[in-house]
Amino acid sequence: MFKRIMAPVDLAHVERLGTALDCAADLAKHWGVPIVYVGVTSSAPSNLAHNPKEFGQKLDAFAKAEAAKHGVETSAHTAIAHDPATEIDDALMRAISDTESDLVVMASHVPNVMDYIWPSNGGSLAEHAKCSVMVVRP
């Protein structure tokens, strides 16, 4: 049914992504398709990495660990944004096309009043993506 699953990953908050990551792995096993983990970073140094290359290495290590944990084929894709906090939706939209994914499985937060003012990343992606998007609550 699907050919490739894209799973956005915030390496700074991996502990909050467990349900979504498990869901993506279960779906990948069910359809026998690969998962590409997408991380968004800037070219400036951050708490996670000194540069995009180092960030990509950490994301690749994460993808390999998930492959070993779940027994599925994985890869990593690093998306660059000048300001990841404000450009993450656009970066993820480009990543869907760049990775040729036809399903996105991503974590969400518990809805709150701020969602009426500022839409969530998952909601924005589900609204505008040309592929299926599954938003998984923790």
Side-chain angles (χ1 to χ4, degrees), residues 33-103:
V33 298
I35 302 171
V36 57
Y37 295 100
V38 173
V40 179
T41 188
S42 72
S43 56
S46 69
N47 291 339
L48 290 172
H50 294 96
N51 54 52
K53 182 179 178 183
E54 183 181 353
F55 181 89
Q57 291 168 341
K58 289 183 177 183
L59 186 61
D60 190 54
F62 173 82
K64 288 177 180 168
E66 288 295 300
K69 179 179 176 183
H70 296 287
V72 294
E73 180 184 347
T74 67
S75 61
H77 176 82
T78 301
I80 307 295
H82 295 292
D83 182 2
T86 61
E87 299 173 12
I88 192 165
D89 293 342
D90 292 335
L92 292 176
M93 289 294 289
R94 285 191 305 273
I96 292 170
S97 176
D98 292 346
T99 63
E100 299 180 355
S101 298
D102 54 358
L103 173 64

Side-chain angles (χ1 to χ4, degrees), residues 10 12-21 106-109 136-138:
D10 182 349
H13 300 103
V14 170
E15 71 282 355
R16 296 182 194 164
L17 307 177
T19 305
L21 296 175
M106 64 187 298
S108 179
H109 61 277
V136 181
R137 288 192 181 160

Side-chain angles (χ1 to χ4, degrees), residues 111-129:
N112 59 45
V113 69
M114 287 305 291
D115 292 322
Y116 291 101
I117 300 167
W118 196 269
S120 67
N121 299 112
S124 179
L125 217 60
E127 186 175 351
H128 300 290

